[in-house]
């Protein structure tokens, strides 16, 4: 930390003398540094430093009681890769990300196209459809736990009334159904976000294109396929990138739903990191899992940037 | 002869009726779909509210009506009387307000400096904030625990506020930078010709221009901080200093006696400020969310 600050300081001094040609420029520079340094300091200490410490700790064996650190190279990573729990959590993460994002986009694009039609009351509908996005994770978890409750929940009451089940089902006590309903809750909460992004893009669609295509006698499917969809694609990709990243790192919803259980049934990678660090007292492997997540995130965003550039090129 | 003249008009009439029928059918379908979409989004929330004003005896009854027969705010009274909910709400309000104000002040200054001056260190910092913005909070939480431990700030609301500020700043800077870039430089140049210093020009001329962006960013930072669970649940470990999300989560552990009515009342109370913000400040919010303040 001290060497970093010293280096930063000498760098600032060097820049200062370079810019010192005029009093104005020097004053500007001093002001700019003064304005930005509190933010830099706080981001360094509370975001960058912990990230680097996390990377660092992933190569050490950490005693959780004394915090004594012993270098053990790639042992944490090897330990992880040989643990079935890691791989199960990895695949659950994939399932959680793919399951929620695919349905978010199918529903979200559908609802956005619907609310783009000239319908009475569509402005109110647009406002109401966004409500799930406002609901905090803890409330989402309370809501779904209540709805799915075996004895009091409305879902089981309805299933019984329609004669679909003969006895109440404890959906959140079974690993597979628990994960299924976490995914359903994720879809419910974040579809509005997709609706919002797509609607914003639909509102600025160039009308000449649509008119020209209509004059040429394009069917509504052709209109969508050749005009609307290419226009939406860049936004779809950006939104997909954001949603994938945030779904992948999503901790609160998944964890609060049933605390990673039953039988690790809802343990995705972020929940696994928490479990390893605080319940299993395995800080080294926890740091290694976190680092693996970071690498996966960077790979994902790189992939999307390639896709995005291609979509933008096709549009022009 | 007559056959030849009437049949085309008849079929034309027929197809016109047919066409109108299809069109009406299409419109009706669209309206039905719209209503379904609205119900899908709001029904669970309506159910939460209805359940919060339902007396427990009715919730536990075998036969249940959709609307409570004897609506009551008893559950809300119990929530504030029996649990520490009121205290957590106060804690969350203090934490979120302090975080929001400081983040807005610091990120407005940083974003202004970054949008007006081109120094290499700013570019480095820009990349850094982007990385910090993408970073999963779970990666930070274990090291943060030890950093706060060394600073003697674990189990302290000041420590938690510092963590919130440090992790929200990147979002604030990214949202505000685009706003400042959109404000013409000539505005402050004119003010400076009139004899103000650059800093005066910043807060007298530029800040008022950036107000909508700052409101959007502020509401965004407030709402993510208001509902934050992970950091609060790990960095705070006494029940009197914890926040809403982390506090209410303790209700869900198995040793707590469930009263669904009380839990639903808690759900309504936690969501209420955010819903009110949304209803009254919608236009700022949408602009902000579209402008880069995107979080899951």
């Amino acid at each position: 930390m001290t060497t970093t600050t010293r280096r930063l300081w000498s760098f600032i001094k060097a820049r200062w003398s370079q810019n010192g040609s005029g009093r104005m420029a020097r004053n500007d520079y001093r002001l700019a540094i003064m304005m930005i340094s509190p933010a830099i300091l706080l981001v360094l200490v509370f975001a960058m430093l912990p990230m680097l410490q996390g990377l660092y700790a992933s190569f050490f064996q950490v005693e959780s009681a004394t915090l004594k650190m012993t270098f053990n190279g790639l042992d944490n990573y090897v330990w992880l890769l040989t643990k079935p729990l890691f791989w199960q959590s990895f695949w659950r993460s994939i399932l959680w990300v793919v399951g929620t994002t695919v349905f978010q986009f199918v529903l979200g694009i559908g609802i956005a196209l619907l609310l783009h039609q000239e319908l009475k009351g569509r402005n109110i509908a647009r406002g109401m459809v966004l409500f799930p996005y406002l609901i905090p994770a803890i409330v989402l978890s309370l809501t779904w736990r209540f709805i799915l409750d075996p004895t009091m929940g409305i879902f089981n009451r309805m299933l019984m009334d329609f004669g679909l089940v003969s006895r109440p089902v404890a959906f959140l006590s079974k690993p597979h159904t628990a994960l299924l309903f976490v995914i359903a809750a994720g879809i419910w909460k974040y579809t509005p976000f997709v609706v919002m992004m797509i609607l914003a893009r639909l509102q600025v669609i160039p009308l000449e294109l649509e008119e020209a295509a209509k004059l040429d006698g394009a069917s509504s499917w052709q209109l969508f396929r050749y005009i609307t969809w290419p226009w939406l694609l860049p936004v779809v990709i950006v939104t997909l990138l954001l949603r994938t990243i945030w779904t992948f790192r999503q901790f609160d919803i998944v964890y609060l739903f049933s605390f990673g259980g039953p039988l690790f049934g809802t343990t995705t990678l972020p929940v696994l990191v928490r479990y390893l660090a605080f319940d299993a007292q395995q800080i080294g492997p926890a740091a290694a899992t976190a680092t693996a997540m970071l690498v996966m995130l960077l790979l994902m965003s790189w992939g999307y940037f390639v896709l995005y550039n291609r979509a933008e090129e096709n549009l022009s | 002869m007559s056959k030849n003249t009437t049949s085309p008009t008849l079929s034309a009439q027929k197809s016109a009726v047919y066409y109108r029928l299809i069109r009406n059918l299409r419109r009706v379908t669209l309206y039905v779909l719209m209503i379904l979409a609205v119900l899908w989004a709001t029904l669970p929330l309506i159910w939460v509210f209805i359940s919060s004003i339902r007396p427990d005896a009715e919730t536990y009854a075998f036969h249940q009506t959709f609307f409570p027969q004897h609506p009551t705010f008893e559950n809300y009274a119990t929530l504030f009387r029996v649990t520490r909910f009121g205290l957590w709400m106060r804690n969350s309000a203090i934490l979120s307000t302090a975080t929001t104000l400081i983040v807005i002040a610091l990120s407005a200054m940083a974003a202004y400096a970054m949008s007006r001056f081109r120094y290499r260190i700013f570019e480095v910092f820009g990349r850094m904030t982007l990385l910090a913005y993408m970073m999963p909070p779970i990666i930070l939480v274990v090291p943060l625990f030890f950093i706060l431990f060394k600073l003697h700030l674990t189990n302290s609301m000041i420590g938690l506020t510092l963590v919130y500020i440090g992790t929200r700043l990147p979002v604030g800077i990214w949202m505000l930078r685009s706003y400042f870039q959109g404000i013409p430089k000539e505005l402050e140049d004119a003010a400076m010709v009139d004899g103000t210093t650059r800093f005066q020009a910043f807060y007298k001329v530029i800040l008022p221009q950036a107000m909508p962006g700052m409101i959007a960013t502020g509401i965004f930072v407030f709402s993510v901080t208001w509902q934050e669970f992970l950091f609060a649940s790990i960095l705070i470990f006494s029940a009197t200093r914890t926040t809403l999300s982390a506090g209410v989560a303790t209700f869900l552990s198995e040793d707590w006696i469930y009263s669904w009515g009380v839990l639903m009342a808690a759900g309504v109370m936690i969501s209420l400020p955010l819903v009110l913000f949304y209803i009254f400040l919608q236009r700022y919010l949408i602009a902000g969310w579209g402008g880069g303040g995107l979080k899951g």
Side-chain angles (χ1 to χ4, degrees):
Chain A
M1 189 60 206
T2 44
T3 46
T4 327
T5 33
R6 206 179 302 138
R7 214 173 280 162
L8 193 70
W9 181 236
S10 63
F11 178 72
I12 291 169
K13 269 202 292 202
R15 296 294 302 181
W16 195 322
S17 48
Q18 268 173 41
N19 279 298
S21 47
R23 195 171 57 88
M24 188 75 179
R26 187 186 299 174
N27 279 347
D28 271 0
Y29 192 65
R30 195 190 298 174
L31 178 67
I33 290 296
M34 267 165 50
M35 286 174 91
I36 205 172
S37 46
I40 293 191
L41 184 74
L42 283 163
V43 173
L44 275 179
V45 176
F46 293 104
M48 298 316 282
L49 181 66
M51 185 196 72
L52 295 175
Q53 279 197 341
L55 292 182
Y56 184 74
S58 73
F59 300 105
F60 287 82
Q61 193 196 345
V62 187
E63 306 283 340
S64 61
T66 56
L67 293 186
K68 201 166 88 57
M69 290 171 72
T70 343
F71 183 73
N72 69 356
L74 292 174
D75 282 6
N76 289 330
Y77 292 91
V78 174
W79 187 88
L80 265 189
L81 298 180
T82 54
K83 283 279 174 211
L85 185 58
F86 173 79
W87 288 107
Q88 286 157 7
S89 312
F90 172 77
W91 287 113
R92 263 192 296 266
S93 269
I94 302 280
L95 191 63
W96 152 251
V97 171
V98 173
T100 43
T101 35
V102 165
F103 284 100
Q104 272 167 35
F105 274 79
V106 172
L107 279 170
I109 294 174
I111 294 176
L113 288 171
L114 177 72
L115 296 181
H116 188 59
Q117 308 288 323
E118 300 271 343
L119 297 172
K120 275 187 195 119
R122 76 171 177 188
N123 282 336
I124 298 170
R126 278 179 189 173
M128 307 254 277
V129 156
L130 297 190
F131 268 121
Y133 187 57
L134 300 174
I135 298 309
I138 181 75
V139 181
L140 189 72
S141 138
L142 288 175
T143 309
W144 286 81
R145 279 172 188 246
F146 177 48
I147 289 175
L148 297 173
D149 188 87
T151 46
M152 264 78 74
I154 178 119
F155 192 65
N156 267 308
R157 283 177 192 246
M158 278 179 0
L159 286 183
M160 304 247 289
D161 284 350
F162 290 121
L164 291 172
V165 293
S166 52
R167 275 186 304 157
V169 187
F171 291 103
L172 294 181
S173 317
K174 293 181 183 159
H176 291 291
T177 46
L179 186 64
L180 201 70
F181 280 102
V182 180
I183 291 176
I187 296 168
W188 184 74
K189 174 158 179 178
Y190 289 111
T191 299
F193 180 79
V194 180
V195 174
M196 198 159 60
M197 299 293 280
I198 302 290
L199 262 180
R201 181 76 168 176
L202 278 174
Q203 275 158 13
V204 291
I205 195 164
L207 284 173
E208 318 87 74
L209 274 178
E210 263 185 17
E211 309 265 296
K214 269 184 200 160
L215 279 179
D216 289 347
S219 69
S220 42
W221 165 248
Q222 284 171 323
L223 210 63
F224 176 76
R225 173 68 188 79
Y226 296 104
I227 309 289
T228 316
W229 180 246
W231 177 254
L232 290 182
L233 198 56
V235 168
V236 169
I237 290 172
V238 171
T239 316
L240 201 59
L241 163 74
L242 293 169
R243 286 296 350 132
T244 317
I245 289 179
W246 272 295
T247 312
F248 183 67
R249 58 177 244 186
Q250 178 69 52
F251 174 84
D252 294 2
I253 291 179
V254 184
Y255 181 74
L256 286 172
F257 226 81
S258 51
F259 301 129
L263 301 169
F264 293 105
T266 54
T267 299
T268 55
L269 286 175
V271 182
L272 179 69
V273 175
R274 190 201 179 280
Y275 169 78
L276 287 175
F278 293 101
D279 298 331
Q281 310 279 331
Q282 300 267 22
I283 293 175
T289 313
T291 309
M293 276 181 62
L294 191 63
V295 172
M296 290 177 217
L297 277 176
L298 291 175
L299 280 178
M300 273 187 237
S301 33
W302 175 74
Y304 278 113
F305 278 124
V306 173
L307 275 178
Y308 178 77
N309 285 336
R310 211 174 285 163
E312 279 279 273
E313 273 166 29
N314 282 347
L315 201 63
S316 56
Chain B
M1 190 70 191
S2 63
K3 220 177 186 184
N4 277 351
T5 49
T6 48
S7 84
T9 44
L10 236 177
S11 76
Q13 263 175 357
K14 228 186 203 167
S15 79
V17 169
Y18 183 68
Y19 179 71
R20 209 179 302 153
L21 194 74
I22 291 280
R23 216 180 50 179
N24 285 340
L25 206 67
R26 185 172 165 273
R27 290 200 74 75
V28 170
T29 319
L30 287 180
Y31 277 107
V32 169
L33 284 175
M34 185 168 86
I35 290 165
L36 280 180
V38 169
L39 284 180
W40 171 79
T42 52
L43 214 51
L45 303 176
I46 294 170
W47 186 243
V48 169
F49 177 71
I50 288 179
S51 307
S52 78
I53 55 169
R54 193 194 299 277
D56 264 350
E58 279 183 46
T59 305
Y60 291 74
F62 187 71
H63 289 291
Q64 208 178 56
T65 48
F66 185 81
F67 290 104
Q69 282 156 324
H70 308 283
T72 165
F73 281 93
E74 194 54 42
N75 290 322
Y76 290 84
T78 312
L79 177 69
F80 282 96
R81 206 181 49 232
V82 176
T83 73
R84 291 198 173 97
F85 192 82
L87 186 65
W88 297 335
M89 207 158 187
R90 195 203 65 166
N91 289 350
S92 277
I94 295 174
L95 268 170
S96 317
T97 312
T99 304
T100 308
L101 293 179
I102 297 172
V103 165
I104 292 299
L106 295 185
S107 57
M109 290 201 296
Y112 173 77
M114 286 165 87
S115 72
R116 286 302 185 263
F117 307 107
R118 301 255 159 269
Y119 302 115
R120 203 184 309 139
I121 181 176
F122 290 0
E123 251 168 65
V124 174
F125 182 61
R127 298 245 172 84
M128 207 166 84
T129 52
L130 189 61
L131 184 66
Y133 183 23
M134 275 182 36
M135 203 138 43
I138 191 77
I139 292 183
L140 307 179
V141 73
V142 184
L144 271 176
F145 184 84
F146 297 121
I147 291 173
L148 288 187
F149 189 75
K150 277 183 197 139
L151 298 171
H152 302 287
L153 285 174
T154 42
N155 199 19
S156 123
M157 280 171 63
I158 294 176
L160 187 59
T161 312
L162 285 172
V163 168
Y164 283 155
I165 295 168
T167 47
R168 303 316 182 224
L169 267 173
V171 193
I173 292 171
W174 273 94
M175 281 178 79
L176 284 181
R177 212 157 85 144
S178 57
Y179 275 96
F180 283 120
Q181 268 160 358
I183 298 169
K185 238 182 152 143
E186 287 74 28
L187 269 178
E188 69 209 85
D189 287 344
M192 277 156 70
V193 168
D194 289 347
T196 63
T197 65
R198 185 179 271 281
F199 193 72
Q200 281 170 334
F202 164 67
Y203 77 76
K204 284 194 180 139
V205 181
I206 302 301
L207 277 191
Q209 291 284 321
M211 206 37 110
M214 283 166 48
I215 292 174
T217 313
I219 293 169
F220 180 76
V221 171
F222 184 91
S223 74
V224 292
T225 312
W226 176 258
Q227 55 185 284
E228 206 279 337
F229 167 75
L230 175 63
F231 289 148
S233 73
I234 284 168
L235 302 176
I236 301 281
F237 28 86
S238 63
T240 50
R241 291 181 195 168
T242 199
T243 63
L244 276 176
S245 290
V248 171
T250 60
F251 291 165
L252 297 173
S253 61
E254 280 140 51
D255 49 346
W256 204 75
I257 301 148
Y258 276 45
S259 157
W260 282 114
V262 173
L263 286 179
M264 291 303 108
V268 171
M269 290 310 294
I270 299 173
S271 316
L272 200 62
L274 305 181
V275 171
L276 290 180
F277 270 144
Y278 174 69
I279 291 172
F280 291 111
L281 297 165
Q282 202 173 6
R283 65 204 167 96
Y284 295 114
L285 274 175
I286 305 276
W289 284 340
L294 319 153
K295 199 243 165 196

